[in-house]
């Protein structure tokens, strides 16, 4: 029985990390109907920043996430200004494709500058430690990242639902032209959203070097899983993205143990297809 | 025979004549680039049927491409026969698989549909990696067999591959030209522009889309068979990957979706770029060629979502406008 | 109007670029130069290893071309071969893709007119690339691709330096038998965790074959998708099945994730032996620190072998100066370096560049190779280096110590692996 609960814990922790990465995508998609293909590469860039800070000035990831988050906030705004803004008037998927190009550029730029070497931080505050409760263990790096994830998701949810900014964002999501007529500066809102999206994935990337190795391709699988989580959660639903991410984490963990580890990701993608067959707009989408 | 037809046949005649130029015949790398251009143009054109004319942007075509490639591979490696029956079976299987998976997927819209196609590619990719009957992660390596059209394999020269690719190209482009001028093409475009409106005038949108998908998958699988025969090896990352799926989409979008020449133009730009950038700078190891590729994609999609054909038609209509104004002012006085 | 002008310029630029690229092409002037092509993954998931392999060949060329009396390897004291011919490197990237590898091999031979190709690290790419060489009857030197099938094809112009995974699997089983005999180890069950790629699957198949042949019970087979976000399920399954010995084929980042996940779950097998993978990478060993200790693996070279192979140090200094992150040689890159040396020695001895003569010379002689374990290289039919050996090393205190075969051991093996809570 302990194995069952251990797997559940593993799954939830992994799911929370997925959630942190997904929430940013969900924000942009729900309001601008844009999916950023380069999202995984933002994660990778954030991880590199956190790694370099850790390696050069011995700043622990538990602090360097601030730097990663800020950098990716700016990166998000730049991406909006230079690329996404111009795709908004075009066909629906053009931003996806344009950001695919961006992803190639970022990934190969990092390959070029940082070389393909695998970088791992030797000593971090959280690395290798765990909390043991009964027969179960909770790995500390994943636990802390998971807690950050929940906090960030709820902060964003709070902003959207309870603040004036959030109402402005929802207004834009519902009807862009009407919002503009009401005096809302949609351009600024979009830029802010892209920045927030970058910041979320930047925070995730800032914390991950506590236990993951950094290399140019590290963001790829996270990115695909984030796409699946965001689409499963549904258009316009932050909590949906969170639920979907947790579900994906659990399914991955249980499928990986009770079926076979090699089917882990097949099960995740299969889950998505099953969910959208019955709910074509995702679990909570509108 | 109208003007367009004449231009088309003349173009094909030129393509047939190219390998006869000695400079081209001796340069095996140039031969390779030309073959790839024809192949990728054909692949993208097959995607164009459902993605451009049908408006369903699918990132899943590498699944059909892969099934065709495996069809050829299994025939040659596992059963030791010529590839042709394998390719045919692969293409038919691809069409069937396409219909089965598209039927539920067509209920999805926009990004949901796109991500569903991602999910499908990933699932097939990973399943084929585990499936021992098709070689799994080890893939299928071609043994040495007799050269010739029977086995569709040549080791020394690329000229026959070029003509094979040309036949594939003419076939697929021919089919699309036919689709564009016939009912099914109009139905497709009608469904793309407005599904409910089309249905209200009696178009069975589901049947139309599924037919287009089946044809598209069949043709993509034929291209996959060619690819396997050209590279003498099949494994899932080569043919069933997301990278390959993106190529189908990007080439068509760069060139111009929903146009006959779009895929050709897209391939004419992306393939030489990809191959020569790697040849010139790939050895430096910095991924410079991929960076340029990425930048080009960004620039084109941002500036002109209708692709190169969109740029061309803008230029043409501007020229016409200027001519018209000139005539007017001349006449008016 | 401005917008249209911009579009027009964009279009014309693209067209020009396209035309130029279609009909471009370079020609190289010929002097007393022998071009060596290297074909490695310089982008993609194996980019790190590929870059190191390329630099290893560069290092060898540097030593051969110039006077390096400090390097005690053949051809170091003279300049070039065949009375004044110098080697020149032409590098190409295949990114891990077999179709690209085939085309680049053709391009290197046909357009760049290289004499030979050294490559390709990934066995899946080495297969089609060497096929191209064989058809053209040109020599192909393979340093470290591990698939046994490569030298079972009956090729005449293909040569491989490193031991392949069939040899390694048998050696791993020999270690287990030795432990059972000398230490009463009681190892009965064997499992394998491997990345689900051509490399990993092939290694796992050989592991299964060898384990069964040696009388062990192969109970656990765990493939995983490389680049995984976590290896929780994989390690949980390992822990549940609890094999006595685990063979690993995990590259780079997955290796560190595997080790750290095992630490989190508080599980270890009695012994873990690795194929050519993340274990052998000295940078990864350093990064893992104490966590990496007591794992073992087949090693073609490790810094700890310096006493056994004194000649390596001087060549390694040159290698270190060229490579980022100044790493020492690892098992893979050193084989590529050796491949270059052996080829140069063969050309010098044959006295000609004629492929068939060089080929015969390669087969006919026992080659001095101070950088190989055992110091000698001999090729048998099919192209395998029959003297290829790897020493099983164990990381102790962050250093690679040779532990098997007992004759070459520099330290005693720590068995079983010390559990996490006792470190």
């Amino acid at each position: 029985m302990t194995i069952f609960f251990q797997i559940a814990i593993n799954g939830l922790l992994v799911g929370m990390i997925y959630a942190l990465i997904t929430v940013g995508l969900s924000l942009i998609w729900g309001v601008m109907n844009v999916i950023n293909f380069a999202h995984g590469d933002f994660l990778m860039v954030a991880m590199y920043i956190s790694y370099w800070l850790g390696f050069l000035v011995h700043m622990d990831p538990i602090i360097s996430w601030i730097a990663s988050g800020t950098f990716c906030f700016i990166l998000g705004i730049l991406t909006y200004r230079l690329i996404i803004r111009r795709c908004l008037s075009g066909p629906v998927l053009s931003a996806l494709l344009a950001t695919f190009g961006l992803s190639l550029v970022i990934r190969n730029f990092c390959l070029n500058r940082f070389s393909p070497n695998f970088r791992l931080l030797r000593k971090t505050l959280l690395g290798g430690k765990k909390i043991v409760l009964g027969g179960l263990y909770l790995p500390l790096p994943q636990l802390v990242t998971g807690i950050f994830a929940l906090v960030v998701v709820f902060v964003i949810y709070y902003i959207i639902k309870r603040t004036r900014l959030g109402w402005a964002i929802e207004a834009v999501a519902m009807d862009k032209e009407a919002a503009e007529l009401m005096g809302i500066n949609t351009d600024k809102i979009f830029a802010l959203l892209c920045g927030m999206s970058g910041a979320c994935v930047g925070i995730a990337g800032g914390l991950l070097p506590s236990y993951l190795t950094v290399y140019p391709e590290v963001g790829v699988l996270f990115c695909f899983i984030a796409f699946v989580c965001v689409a499963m959660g549904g258009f316009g639903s932050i909590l949906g993205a969170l639920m979907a991410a947790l579900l994906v984490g659990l399914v991955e963990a249980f499928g990986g143990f009770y079926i076979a580890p090699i089917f882990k990701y097949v099960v995740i993608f299969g889950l998505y297809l099953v969910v959208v067959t019955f709910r074509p707009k995702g679990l909570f989408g509108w | 025979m109208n003007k367009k037809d004449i231009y088309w046949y003349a173009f094909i005649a030129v393509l047939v004549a190219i390998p006869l130029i000695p400079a081209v015949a001796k340069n095996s790398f140039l031969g390779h680039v030309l073959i790839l251009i024809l192949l990728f143009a054909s692949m993208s054109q097959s995607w164009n049927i459902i993605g451009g004319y049908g408006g369903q942007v699918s990132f899943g075509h590498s699944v059909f491409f892969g099934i065709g490639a495996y069809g050829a591979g299994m025939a040659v490696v596992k059963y030791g026969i010529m590839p042709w029956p394998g390719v045919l079976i692969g293409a038919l299987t691809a069409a069937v698989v396409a219909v089965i998976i598209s039927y539920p997927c067509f209920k999805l819209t926009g990004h949901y549909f796109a991500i569903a196609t991602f999910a499908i590619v990933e699932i097939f990719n990973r399943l084929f990696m585990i499936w021992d009957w098709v070689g799994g992660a080890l893939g299928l390596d071609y043994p040495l067999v007799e050269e010739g059209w029977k086995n569709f394999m040549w080791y020394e020269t690329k000229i026959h591959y070029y003509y094979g690719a040309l036949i594939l190209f003419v076939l697929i482009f021919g089919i699309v030209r036919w689709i564009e001028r016939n009912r099914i093409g109009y139905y497709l475009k009608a469904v793309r522009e407005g599904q409910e409106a089309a249905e209200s005038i009696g178009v069975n949108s589901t049947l139309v889309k599924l037919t287009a998908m089946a044809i598209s998958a069949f043709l993509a699988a034929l291209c996959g068979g060619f690819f396997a025969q050209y590279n003498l090896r099949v494994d899932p990352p080569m043919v069933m990957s997301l990278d390959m799926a993106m190529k189908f989409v990007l080439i068509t979008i760069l060139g111009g979706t929903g146009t006959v020449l779009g895929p050709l133009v897209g391939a004419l730009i992306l393939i030489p770029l990809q191959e020569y950038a790697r040849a010139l700078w790939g050895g430096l190891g910095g991924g410079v060629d991929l960076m340029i590729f990425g930048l080009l994609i960004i620039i084109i999609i941002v500036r002109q979502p209708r692709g190169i054909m969109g740029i061309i038609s803008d230029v043409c209509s501007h020229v016409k406008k200027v001519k018209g104004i000139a005539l007017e002012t001349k006449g008016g006085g | 109007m401005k917008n249209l002008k911009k579009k027009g310029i964009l279009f014309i630029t693209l067209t020009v670029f396209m035309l130029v690229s279609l009909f471009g092409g370079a020609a190289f002037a010929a002097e007393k130069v022998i071009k060596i092509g290297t074909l490695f993954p310089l982008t993609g998931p194996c980019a790190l290893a590929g870059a190191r392999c390329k630099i290893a060949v560069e290092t060898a060329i540097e030593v051969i071309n110039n006077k390096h009396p400090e390097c005690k390897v053949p051809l170091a004291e003279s300049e070039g071969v065949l009375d004044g011919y110098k080697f020149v490197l032409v590098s190409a990237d295949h990114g891990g893709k077999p179709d690209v590898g085939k085309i680049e091999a053709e391009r290197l031979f046909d357009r760049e007119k290289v004499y030979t190709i050294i490559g390709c690290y990934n066995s899946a790419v080495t297969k089609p690339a060497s096929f191209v060489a064989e058809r053209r009857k040109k020599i192909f030197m393979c340093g470290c691709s591990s698939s046994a099938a490569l030298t079972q094809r009956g090729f005449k112009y293909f040569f491989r330096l490193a031991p392949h995974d069939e040899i390694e699997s048998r050696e791993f089983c020999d270690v287990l038998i030795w432990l059972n005999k000398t230490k009463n180890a009681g190892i009965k069950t064997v499992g394998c965790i491997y990345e689900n790629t051509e490399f990993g699957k092939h290694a796992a198949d050989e592991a299964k074959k060898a384990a069964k042949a040696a009388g062990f019970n192969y109970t656990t087979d765990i493939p995983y998708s490389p680049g995984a976000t976590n290896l929780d399920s994989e390690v949980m399954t390992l822990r549940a099945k609890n094999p006595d010995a685990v063979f690993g084929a995990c590259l780079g980042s997955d290796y560190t994730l595997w080790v750290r996940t095992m630490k989190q779950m508080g599980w270890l097998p009695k012994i873990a032996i690795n194929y050519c993978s993340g274990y052998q990478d000295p940078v990864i060993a350093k990064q893992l620190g104490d966590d990496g200790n007591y794992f073992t693996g087949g090693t073609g070279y490790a810094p700890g072998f310096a006493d056994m192979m004194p000649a390596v140090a001087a060549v390694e200094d040159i290698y270190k100066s060229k490579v980022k992150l100044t790493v020492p040689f690892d098992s893979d890159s050193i084989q590529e370096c050796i491949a270059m040396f052996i080829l140069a020695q063969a050309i010098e001895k044959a006295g000609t560049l004629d492929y068939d003569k060089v080929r015969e010379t390669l087969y006919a002689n026992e080659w001095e190779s101070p950088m190989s374990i055992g110091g000698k290289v001999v090729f048998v039919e099919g192209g395998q280096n029959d003297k290829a050996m790897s020493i099983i090393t164990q990381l102790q205190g962050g250093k690679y110590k040779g532990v098997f075969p007992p004759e070459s051991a520099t330290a005693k093996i720590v068995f079983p692996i010390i559990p996490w809570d006792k470190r």
Side-chain angles (χ1 to χ4, degrees):
Chain A
M1 209 52 203
T2 11
I3 292 190
F4 182 86
F5 285 119
Q6 183 62 62
I7 297 177
I9 291 178
N10 289 343
L12 283 173
L13 288 177
V14 161
M16 286 197 267
I17 297 174
Y18 291 155
L20 183 55
I21 300 172
T22 307
V23 76
L25 270 183
S26 178
L27 265 179
I28 332 182
W29 186 33
V31 182
M32 294 194 278
N33 202 14
V34 157
I35 288 199
N36 179 5
F37 211 107
H39 203 67
D41 302 285
F42 284 10
L43 180 73
M44 180 261 292
V45 166
M47 285 174 81
Y48 265 110
I49 292 175
S50 182
Y51 170 81
W52 286 120
L53 285 173
F55 187 72
L56 296 171
V57 297
H58 300 295
M59 192 191 282
D60 196 270
I62 207 156
I63 306 178
S64 56
W65 64 266
I66 303 176
S68 309
T70 318
F71 185 85
C72 287
F73 180 83
I74 301 174
L75 193 58
I77 295 186
L78 273 176
T79 307
Y80 170 73
R81 281 258 136 77
L82 294 174
I83 300 180
I84 299 182
R85 176 160 59 179
R86 296 178 210 208
C87 294
L88 288 176
S89 46
V92 174
L93 289 172
S94 47
L96 182 68
L97 296 165
T99 50
F100 174 76
L102 180 65
S103 136
L104 281 180
V105 172
I106 296 181
R107 203 181 308 167
N108 286 283
F109 180 78
C110 288
L111 176 67
N112 197 307
R113 294 280 89 211
F114 302 136
S115 85
N117 288 308
F118 297 114
R119 320 246 179 188
L120 185 64
L121 283 175
R122 266 197 75 163
K123 287 256 168 279
T124 58
L125 203 61
L126 304 169
K129 301 203 175 70
K130 57 189 181 213
I131 300 180
V132 185
L133 291 170
L136 306 169
Y137 74 92
L138 291 95
L140 212 46
Q142 284 92 321
L143 183 61
V144 169
T145 314
I147 295 176
F148 264 86
L150 288 177
V151 167
V152 168
V153 171
F154 282 116
V155 162
I156 293 198
Y157 183 73
Y158 181 83
I159 294 178
I160 303 260
K161 293 287 177 203
R162 296 294 159 95
T163 64
R164 290 188 63 116
L165 172 64
W167 296 335
I169 293 175
E170 282 203 316
V172 172
M174 283 190 223
D175 191 333
K176 182 171 166 240
E177 280 98 14
E180 278 176 357
L181 287 173
M182 303 299 285
I184 297 178
N185 187 336
T186 51
D187 191 57
K188 281 219 176 90
I189 299 263
F190 286 159
L192 182 65
L193 280 172
C194 287
M196 278 163 72
S197 163
C200 291
V201 82
I203 296 174
L207 294 165
L208 286 177
S210 290
Y211 72 99
L212 273 186
T213 310
V214 190
Y215 60 102
E217 313 264 326
V218 72
V220 175
L221 199 51
F222 279 109
C223 190
F224 292 155
I225 295 181
F227 285 171
V228 165
C229 290
V230 87
M232 222 184 337
F235 180 88
S237 172
I238 306 265
L239 288 185
L242 173 64
M243 293 292 127
L246 291 175
L247 182 63
V248 162
L250 284 170
V251 166
E252 180 188 334
F254 281 108
F257 186 76
Y258 290 109
I259 307 181
I262 193 65
F263 286 108
K264 252 181 6 185
Y265 298 116
V266 173
V267 169
I268 294 180
F269 294 117
L271 174 69
Y272 171 71
L273 292 176
V274 166
V275 167
V276 290
T277 310
F278 296 110
R279 293 189 66 93
K281 294 232 179 252
L283 291 169
F284 301 103
W286 50 272
Chain B
M1 267 221 296
N2 62 24
K3 221 160 84 169
K4 264 198 185 164
D5 284 338
I6 298 180
Y7 284 150
W8 180 244
Y9 294 133
F11 180 58
I12 296 182
V14 167
L15 287 180
V16 170
I18 285 187
L20 303 174
I21 308 174
V24 173
K26 270 193 252 167
N27 186 340
S28 73
F29 191 67
L30 180 58
H32 162 71
V33 174
L34 290 172
I35 293 174
L36 278 194
I37 292 177
L38 288 176
L39 178 66
F40 277 87
S42 311
M43 282 158 61
S44 311
Q45 186 66 285
S46 73
W47 183 87
N48 201 9
I49 297 176
I50 188 69
Y53 292 102
Q56 300 279 358
V57 177
S58 144
F59 293 101
H61 267 58
S62 57
V63 170
F64 314 130
F65 183 75
I67 293 179
Y70 268 96
M74 291 293 279
V76 176
V77 177
K78 209 104 197 187
Y79 297 107
I81 57 176
M82 23 176 225
W84 303 101
V87 174
L88 194 59
I89 296 179
L92 289 169
T93 313
V96 169
V97 166
V99 169
I100 295 177
I101 53 183
S102 317
Y103 184 66
C105 283
F106 281 146
K107 297 203 183 90
L108 305 172
T109 55
H111 287 110
Y112 292 106
F113 178 75
I115 292 181
T117 56
F118 275 136
I120 290 172
V121 173
E122 280 293 308
I123 291 177
F124 270 86
N125 188 350
R126 289 165 195 281
L127 283 180
F128 268 69
M129 285 288 263
I130 316 173
W131 195 7
D132 282 327
W133 185 63
V134 294
L138 294 176
L140 299 168
D141 280 300
Y142 275 43
L144 224 57
V145 292
E146 217 188 288
E147 288 187 304
W149 283 96
K150 180 168 144 243
N151 288 320
F152 201 72
M153 249 190 280
W154 295 271
Y155 306 115
E156 299 305 327
T157 134
K158 295 211 170 350
I159 294 196
H160 303 93
Y161 276 124
Y162 175 84
Y163 284 117
L166 187 56
I167 294 175
L168 194 60
F169 174 82
V170 170
L171 172 72
I172 297 185
F173 271 70
I175 290 180
V176 172
R177 289 182 75 233
W178 178 85
I179 287 181
E180 209 189 25
R181 279 184 284 188
N182 277 279
R183 275 222 196 126
I184 181 158
Y186 291 123
Y187 288 164
L188 257 181
K189 283 188 231 176
V191 168
R192 177 186 73 195
E193 297 302 325
Q195 188 161 325
E196 284 106 13
E199 279 175 356
S200 71
I201 54 168
V203 175
N204 185 342
S205 65
T206 314
L207 187 62
V208 165
K209 283 198 281 194
L210 287 178
T211 314
M213 193 60 157
I215 298 177
S216 177
F218 186 89
L219 297 175
L222 290 183
C223 297
F226 180 91
F227 190 74
Q229 295 298 120
Y230 183 60
N231 286 301
L232 307 176
R233 183 186 158 82
V234 193
D235 62 34
M238 271 171 81
V239 294
M240 260 189 205
S241 60
L242 208 61
D243 279 338
M244 187 56 88
M246 291 307 285
K247 288 211 176 103
F248 275 88
V249 180
L250 285 168
I251 291 180
T252 320
I253 295 216
L254 240 63
T257 47
T259 65
V260 174
L261 287 180
L264 177 62
V265 170
L268 269 173
I269 298 202
L270 280 185
I271 298 298
L273 170 67
Q274 175 189 283
E275 297 295 305
Y276 280 99
R278 190 191 64 235
L280 288 172
W281 297 308
L284 300 173
V288 174
D289 49 326
L290 290 168
M291 267 198 270
I292 298 183
F293 193 72
L295 276 169
L296 194 65
I297 294 175
I298 298 176
I299 295 174
I300 297 245
I301 292 186
V302 158
R303 288 206 155 278
Q304 177 48 286
R306 284 190 303 137
I308 309 277
M309 292 306 289
I311 297 179
I312 294 181
S313 76
D314 280 346
V315 167
C316 284
S317 61
H318 181 79
V319 164
K320 275 200 198 127
K321 214 166 61 172
V322 166
K323 265 197 192 156
I325 295 175
L327 281 171
E328 260 180 48
T329 47
K330 229 179 176 186
Chain C
M1 180 59 202
K2 200 168 155 205
N3 212 12
L4 198 64
K5 215 178 171 182
K6 277 196 195 157
K7 285 188 188 170
I9 295 180
L10 179 65
F11 176 65
I12 293 179
T13 320
L14 284 171
T15 322
V16 168
F17 180 88
M18 197 181 81
L19 289 171
V20 165
S21 62
L22 263 183
F23 297 107
F28 280 89
E31 315 145 2
K32 267 185 142 180
V33 144
I34 307 176
K35 288 195 190 164
I36 302 290
T38 58
L39 186 54
F40 290 114
L42 301 175
T43 53
C46 300
L48 179 60
R52 289 182 186 165
C53 288
K54 169 187 157 208
I55 294 175
V57 177
E58 252 178 55
T59 308
I61 290 182
E62 159 78 27
V63 171
I64 298 171
N65 278 352
N66 304 302
K67 282 201 168 59
H68 278 279
E70 77 278 10
C71 296
K72 306 276 179 255
V73 292
L75 298 177
E77 305 222 341
S78 53
E79 281 185 11
V81 292
L82 294 181
D83 203 22
Y85 273 88
K86 299 257 173 121
F87 290 106
V88 158
L89 189 79
V90 179
S91 162
D93 168 27
H94 61 67
K97 303 188 183 148
D99 47 316
V100 175
K102 173 170 172 283
I103 288 304
E104 289 294 283
E106 284 175 1
R107 187 178 66 82
L108 283 172
F109 278 129
D110 298 338
R111 303 289 295 158
E112 304 288 343
K113 310 254 187 282
V114 299
Y115 176 74
T116 188
I117 294 183
I118 302 185
C120 297
Y121 184 77
N122 303 78
S123 300
V125 182
T126 309
K127 281 186 204 160
S130 54
F131 193 88
V132 169
E134 186 75 8
R135 291 298 308 193
R136 283 163 177 60
K137 300 207 173 38
K138 298 192 177 182
I139 292 178
F140 190 101
M141 303 293 289
C142 173
C144 62
S145 295
S146 63
S147 168
L150 286 169
T151 39
Q152 291 162 352
R153 298 178 289 177
F155 278 17
K156 301 206 170 50
Y157 295 88
F158 179 79
F159 296 92
R160 166 176 46 200
L161 278 302
H164 55 67
D165 41 26
E166 197 183 326
I167 298 177
E168 298 237 300
S169 304
R170 274 189 256 133
E171 198 171 354
F172 291 178
C173 290
D174 288 341
V175 173
L176 299 182
I177 296 177
W178 172 68
L179 283 171
N180 275 348
K181 224 190 307 193
T182 58
K183 289 190 191 273
N184 252 336
I187 300 175
K188 298 202 193 68
T189 51
V190 170
C192 187
I193 179 168
Y194 58 98
E195 58 166 42
N196 197 28
T197 60
E198 210 268 347
F199 154 66
K201 185 81 181 26
H202 207 271
D205 285 343
E206 294 297 335
K208 196 167 176 188
K209 222 168 62 181
K212 291 220 169 102
F216 293 104
N217 198 357
Y218 186 81
T219 58
T220 320
D221 187 89
I222 303 187
Y224 68 88
S225 303
T229 59
N230 67 80
L231 287 174
D232 295 339
S233 311
E234 286 78 1
V235 178
M236 283 230 91
T237 312
L238 266 179
R239 189 171 81 158
K241 297 244 171 103
N242 205 16
D244 298 318
V246 171
F247 293 172
C250 314
L251 291 180
S253 60
D254 301 317
Y255 181 76
T256 52
L257 192 55
W258 175 44
V259 171
R260 287 195 161 177
T261 312
M262 286 201 293
K263 181 173 176 185
Q264 278 174 351
M265 296 207 183
W267 180 80
L268 280 168
K270 289 191 188 155
I271 181 165
I273 319 185
N274 290 287
Y275 291 92
C276 214
S277 59
Y279 163 81
Q280 284 83 350
D281 185 336
V283 175
I284 290 190
K286 201 163 80 173
Q287 288 170 340
L288 271 176
D290 290 330
D291 294 341
N293 279 338
Y294 312 117
F295 285 86
T296 67
T299 317
Y301 174 74
F305 293 3
D307 300 327
M308 252 195 316
M309 305 196 288
V312 179
V315 181
E316 200 178 32
D317 285 335
I318 302 176
Y319 172 78
K320 279 187 195 172
S321 69
K322 289 176 188 275
V323 98
K324 282 191 193 162
L325 267 198
T326 48
V327 285
F329 274 125
D330 58 89
S331 309
D332 292 329
S333 49
I334 203 171
Q335 299 288 9
E336 307 295 342
C337 191
I338 295 172
M340 183 63 228
F341 274 114
I342 300 293
L343 177 69
Q345 289 171 270
I347 293 176
E348 181 76 347
K349 185 137 193 182
T352 164
L353 283 175
D354 176 69
Y355 285 109
D356 287 302
K357 293 235 167 57
V358 173
R359 187 186 147 257
E360 276 161 24
T361 316
L362 275 168
Y363 273 116
N365 291 287
E366 187 180 82
W367 299 99
E368 274 295 307
S369 182
M371 292 176 66
S372 302
I373 298 182
K376 307 243 179 278
V377 169
V378 167
F379 293 108
V380 296
E381 200 178 323
Q384 178 60 37
N385 169 14
D386 205 40
K387 300 268 181 211
M389 266 174 59
S390 61
I391 291 188
I392 308 288
T393 55
Q394 186 174 46
L395 269 172
Q396 294 173 359
K399 300 210 188 296
Y400 293 99
K401 304 257 192 242
V403 294
F404 183 91
E407 313 84 72
S408 343
T410 55
K412 277 198 165 316
I413 189 171
V414 171
F415 176 86
I417 300 187
I418 298 181
W420 298 110
D421 44 3
K422 298 214 170 60
R423 296 193 190 194

